[in-house]
Amino acid sequence: MSDFKGSNNSNLEVRVLNQTVSDKDLILASFNPLSEALCNTTVQMIFSKPFYHVVRGPDRKVDRELSEQVGDIFDNINFVEHAMVATGDAFDYGPGQFELSMGKNKETHWIEYDAASRRPADTFKRPKDSSIVSTSQRWKGIYVQDGIKYFDQTIKGGEIVSLDPRRMFHITPNGAKFPDGPGLVEMILPFIDGAQAAYSLSFVVMYEQLNPKEIQITDENLPGTKETVSNILTSNNAIERYPLPPNVSMNIPKYDNRDDVHKFFKFYEQIMYRVVYPVAALSSEGGGILDNSSNIVKSQIFYDHISSWRNKVAWATNQLGNYLLDVNGYKKKGYRYEMIPAPIAARDIEIEAKIMDTAVTFGKVTTSEYRAWLNSVVQGLRLENFDDPEIEEGKKVQAPIDDDIKHKMEQIEKGKDPSSIVEEVARRVS
């Protein structure tokens, strides 16, 4: 039991979300094609590069054999696939979680994760203990007590069961301030409604352009009353044409430039991008602070956003990996698990290598800094393979330097603007 004295309940924040939106409304909105596209795109980018399972011993060095064994345990239960589903749930509903079960491996004698199963957000209705005041805004069965996040799930027959938090993978969206989110769909819901209204009006505009408005009948000699003939011709001369008698003329309005409804749709769609991707808000049309920045800066901010999602996946997994080591006696021996996300940003490694090698030669980069850069560019190899290069700490890493690049670096030493030099180096080696 912790010795916290304060409370995490805020009277102003209680029920701050739109209470006219029911749980069912939120789930239906998550299946809207616009929100579905944003969710799927985000999840695919988050998991577009691998994650590495790393176990370090008491000496902080990577234990490759143990790292591979733990990685196999996670792979055997399709951990990444479950994590993708949980991340999608976090985007849609706020919390994304699945529960892991454990069993003993008869061959290795390890207690391992042997299965994983999704736990839908809408099943966390209320805490098992009615005296608990949850700070969650929608799914009250997910709450924090004494610094630990708990999961009380309502299952068949209304029974509430408490799930073991040590065997729960749980993730919330970037910037979530409550234990249950809220999800990004809840934030973009008003704009989904606006886009849906504009989309519906596009059909109205289409039919207005096709349907006749006025019928001129110049001869009363018709097979039926004037009103009957008018109704027949009006109802059959929109998408499909009905032959007009020679004594009848029809006026169909034309709106050749009627694209205002599409602009409304695009307006709401663009606002959704601003909510989901920060760089869109910073580069908004007509005054974003990054409007005059280079595409490199904008793409870096975008990839930083995706990297923060990836870090959240890694942090959520670290708890599970360390619990696995704990139940098998390795944590007490000083072993620690860490999931390392591979870099996600698109980079020109050849240009970076030229600049880095030049900086090393001039003594501007130490061996450890060079090693950190090397690790940061490895995307398809095990990071631990680069953990102990055979070079003495603190010494410069020797590399061949192009004479022209060397001259440019000397110019920087004399005070010339480094940004222009880097651009020249980039053009030269690209």
Side-chain angles (χ1 to χ4, degrees):
M1 189 71 174
S2 69
D3 59 352
F4 288 142
K5 302 299 183 183
S7 171
N8 57 5
N9 294 314
S10 166
N11 292 330
L12 294 177
E13 290 178 346
V14 171
R15 313 305 292 169
V16 70
L17 298 179
N18 187 350
Q19 296 308 302
T20 63
V21 178
S22 68
D23 297 348
K24 183 179 180 180
D25 291 334
L26 183 62
I27 291 175
L28 287 173
S30 71
F31 286 93
N32 180 281
L34 293 176
S35 61
E36 182 106 359
L38 285 172
C39 178
N40 288 340
T41 300
T42 302
V43 172
Q44 289 170 21
M45 286 189 294
I46 293 170
F47 291 89
S48 62
K49 298 294 182 183
F51 293 85
Y52 303 115
H53 302 280
V54 176
V55 178
R56 298 183 185 274
D59 56 0
R60 301 303 298 155
K61 291 185 178 181
V62 175
D63 187 319
R64 298 186 183 183
E65 183 177 349
L66 202 54
S67 297
E68 185 174 348
Q69 182 176 355
V70 171
D72 288 341
I73 291 173
F74 280 102
D75 291 343
N76 289 339
I77 61 172
N78 285 330
F79 182 84
V80 169
E81 184 175 345
H82 287 287
M84 292 179 72
V85 173
T87 305
D89 283 345
F91 184 100
D92 288 336
Y93 312 127
Q97 58 271 319
F98 59 89
E99 183 182 11
L100 293 91
S101 64
M102 304 189 82
K104 191 167 186 177
N105 188 314
K106 295 180 180 179
E107 295 181 1
T108 65
H109 303 293
W110 267 55
I111 299 174
E112 301 179 351
Y113 297 121
D114 55 11
S117 182
R118 176 180 181 248
R119 296 293 173 256
D122 63 298
T123 59
F124 293 88
K125 296 290 188 181
R126 62 186 67 85
K128 188 174 183 179
D129 183 351
S130 59
S131 67
I132 294 175
V133 179
S134 173
T135 55
S136 294
Q137 292 299 285
R138 185 175 289 277
W139 321 113
K140 295 293 187 175
I142 301 173
Y143 58 92
V144 175
Q145 190 175 40
D146 297 327
I148 299 176
K149 189 175 290 184
Y150 290 94
F151 305 87
D152 290 351
Q153 186 183 28
T154 303
I155 57 176
K156 292 181 179 179
E159 180 187 359
I160 300 177
V161 297
S162 296
L163 307 180
D164 187 346
R166 297 171 299 180
R167 293 192 286 110
M168 291 291 294
F169 175 92
H170 181 264
I171 186 172
T172 54
N174 280 347
K177 62 191 303 183
F178 301 108
D180 65 338
L184 290 172
V185 168
E186 190 137 2
M187 299 295 99
I188 64 175
L189 197 56
F191 315 119
I192 293 178
D193 291 340
Q196 183 66 53
Y199 179 75
S200 299
L201 283 175
S202 66
F203 290 95
V204 176
V205 172
M206 180 175 64
Y207 288 130
E208 287 290 316
Q209 294 184 24
L210 294 174
N211 288 332
K213 293 298 182 184
E214 297 180 5
I215 293 181
Q216 300 291 333
I217 299 177
T218 58
D219 189 346
E220 297 293 338
N221 185 20
L222 298 170
T225 66
K226 182 177 180 179
E227 181 179 359
T228 300
V229 173
S230 178
N231 289 338
I232 293 174
L233 296 178
T234 301
S235 60
N236 288 279
N237 278 279
I239 297 177
E240 297 181 358
R241 296 297 181 185
Y242 189 85
L244 294 176
N247 55 345
V248 174
S249 62
M250 184 176 294
N251 175 32
I252 301 178
K254 293 184 178 180
Y255 303 97
D256 295 330
N257 299 315
R258 189 68 186 273
D259 61 350
D260 50 349
V261 172
H262 298 147
K263 290 179 179 178
F264 280 120
F265 180 89
K266 202 68 179 175
F267 167 76
Y268 289 112
E269 188 180 35
Q270 291 294 328
I271 294 181
M272 283 190 279
Y273 293 154
R274 296 185 196 180
V275 175
V276 176
Y277 302 119
V279 69
L282 298 176
S283 306
S284 58
E285 183 178 351
I289 64 175
L290 290 182
D291 283 352
N292 296 324
S293 301
S294 68
N295 288 332
I296 295 177
V297 173
K298 294 176 182 178
S299 64
Q300 184 61 51
I301 293 177
F302 175 78
Y303 284 116
D304 285 346
H305 172 70
I306 299 301
S307 294
S308 65
W309 270 99
R310 287 171 59 77
N311 286 332
K312 294 195 74 168
V313 173
W315 296 333
T317 310
N318 287 347
Q319 172 185 296
L320 298 171
N322 282 299
Y323 182 62
L324 181 66
L325 294 179
D326 191 16
V327 297
N328 287 284
Y330 281 89
K331 191 173 181 179
K332 294 179 181 178
K333 299 177 183 178
Y335 286 83
R336 293 293 181 269
Y337 168 88
E338 180 184 8
M339 172 178 270
I340 300 178
I344 192 70
R347 299 162 62 176
D348 193 324
I349 304 304
E350 291 185 3
I351 294 177
E352 289 188 24
K354 281 284 189 179
I355 296 173
M356 181 61 72
D357 290 343
T358 304
V360 167
T361 298
F362 278 87
K364 300 300 181 183
V365 176
T366 65
T367 301
S368 57
E369 290 172 329
Y370 187 87
R371 180 190 301 159
W373 168 79
L374 182 62
N375 281 346
S376 74
V377 303
V378 176
Q379 298 192 22
L381 301 174
R382 295 285 182 180
L383 296 184
E384 58 266 27
N385 291 344
F386 296 89
D387 201 46
D388 295 300
E390 296 180 358
I391 50 180
E392 293 184 35
E393 188 64 38
K395 289 189 175 182
K396 293 185 295 184
V397 181
Q398 298 300 322
I401 304 300
D402 183 280
D403 289 338
D404 186 56
I405 296 178
K406 183 176 180 180
H407 173 68
K408 295 184 185 304
M409 296 299 292
E410 289 174 348
Q411 288 180 298
I412 295 177
E413 291 287 324
K414 296 177 181 179
K416 188 169 182 180
D417 180 12
S419 61
S420 61
I421 296 295
V422 171
E423 290 180 2
E424 293 178 23
V425 173
R427 285 196 296 270
R428 177 175 175 80
V429 299
S430 61

